[in-house]
Each structure stands twice: as structure tokens, then as C-alpha cells.
Amino acid sequence: MNPHQISDRHVTYAQLICFAIAIIAVLGNVAFPNQHISHKIIQTAFATGSILLAMKLAREGWDMAAAGFTIFGIAWGILFAGVDFWYEKPGMHIISSAGYFFFPAFILISFYKPFPKWIKIATLWCAFPYTINLILFNMNHNHNVLGIWAEIGFMSFHIVSLCWSVYFFKQYKKSIAVNEIKIEE
């Protein structure tokens, strides 16, 4: 196994673990005694998974999608910073700033041609809840409605990220199987 194949294996497993940790933390968030720590775990895992996929796709020559995952990682970093100010007025402004990055990130991620059509559509869908939330926030709209759109957006991000990670894991497993067949021949 050459260094590129070893790195690809590590990246594939690491991104799967990162996105799985994030969704497990989301699902366990209610039961977790310290939700602040839970939010930090989610943000860290999510940003790491996104940057890992950016690195993988850039190495494979999918620059537009790699840029999308990089922008997504930056946006998630902004959310990470906003968690510390969650219940304060600046917190909402910091968190809403992440929304400016989501729309271009998801459009660029959908440029990854090998994705099945349904993953591309689901990825593009993720751009809308937070964009709506951002528009409503800038219009000083009711914060209850903002919370609903934010929750729809977060759950969409986590579901789609799990789809991405499983897709890349399956893609990796297929490439290993193809390489094993070639070696046997």
C-alpha cells in the first residue's frame, strides 16, 4: 500500500468517525449533563470532518467541492465561536454570520460529480434553512421562528453529513475491492 492509499484510508475512516461523533452528540445532547461541552464536541467533530473531506477532494482534483467543504468548515468554526455567547446578544450575531457561508459552501459541495443526484439535492437543500434563518434574523423577526429554522438546518446538516461520510466510506471500500481484484489478476 502506497502512502496515498494509506492516507486515503485514514481520511476516509476519520471523516466517518467525525460525522458519526457529531450526530451521536446531537442525538445524545438532551441526556448529556453539560450541553455546552456537547455543543463543543459537535462543532469540533463537524469542522474536522469537513476539512478532512476538503483535503481528500482537493487531492483527487475536485477543487470546487473541496472549496465548498473548506468554506463549510470555516462556517462551522464560526458556530463554534458563537456557542460561547449562545445566550447573549452578540452570540446570535456571531452564529448568524455562519449563515453567510453555508449557501456558497453547499452549492460548491454539490459540484462533486460522483455524488448521486439525491445527495446533491439533499446538499443543496441544506443551504435553505439557514439562509431563511439569516434573512429572518436580519429582518429582526420572531426568535421562535428563528429557532425552528435553525433546528431544521442543523438536523439537515447532520443527516447530509452522515450521507456524505457513508458515501465516501463505500466509495473507499469499492476502490479497495477493485485494487484487490487487479492484484489477483
Side-chain angles (χ1 to χ4, degrees):
M1 201 178 271
N2 68 40
H4 179 74
Q5 290 169 322
I6 292 169
S7 179
D8 207 33
R9 180 182 68 197
H10 292 158
V11 168
T12 301
Y13 281 97
Q15 63 85 29
L16 180 66
I17 291 166
C18 286
F19 288 128
I21 287 171
I23 202 159
I24 289 167
V26 166
L27 296 174
N29 199 21
V30 176
F32 200 67
N34 188 335
Q35 288 190 351
H36 186 73
I37 292 172
S38 177
H39 284 293
K40 296 275 187 173
I41 291 167
I42 293 166
Q43 309 319 340
T44 302
F46 219 84
T48 302
S50 180
I51 297 303
L52 286 168
L53 287 179
M55 183 183 68
K56 174 184 175 25
L57 295 183
R59 193 173 56 230
E60 294 174 0
W62 295 100
D63 296 335
M64 296 292 277
F69 279 110
T70 301
I71 293 167
F72 189 50
I74 291 167
W76 218 262
I78 293 168
L79 285 175
F80 186 94
V83 167
D84 286 334
F85 301 99
W86 189 268
Y87 296 106
E88 299 173 27
K89 191 173 182 177
M92 290 302 287
H93 289 282
I94 294 168
I95 290 170
S96 73
S97 293
Y100 291 101
F101 292 91
F102 290 137
F103 198 78
F106 290 121
I107 289 171
L108 291 171
I109 290 169
S110 70
F111 273 86
Y112 184 65
K113 200 169 192 170
F115 271 156
K117 192 176 209 169
W118 69 270
I119 290 181
K120 289 180 183 184
I121 291 168
T123 299
L124 289 171
W125 156 255
C126 286
F128 289 100
Y130 225 91
T131 301
I132 291 169
N133 201 40
L134 182 62
I135 292 166
L136 293 174
F137 179 78
N138 285 323
M139 292 172 46
N140 293 318
H141 203 273
N142 179 336
H143 285 285
N144 292 334
V145 176
L146 290 173
I148 292 168
W149 279 108
E151 286 299 316
I152 291 169
F154 286 126
M155 288 314 297
S156 297
F157 296 160
H158 289 291
I159 291 167
V160 170
S161 73
L162 206 52
C163 293
W164 295 331
S165 62
V166 169
Y167 171 82
F168 286 114
F169 182 75
K170 286 182 174 181
Q171 184 185 48
Y172 172 73
K173 288 296 195 179
K174 284 179 187 176
S175 73
I176 293 298
V178 167
N179 286 336
E180 287 175 359
I181 290 170
K182 286 180 183 177
I183 291 172
E184 289 175 10
E185 294 174 352

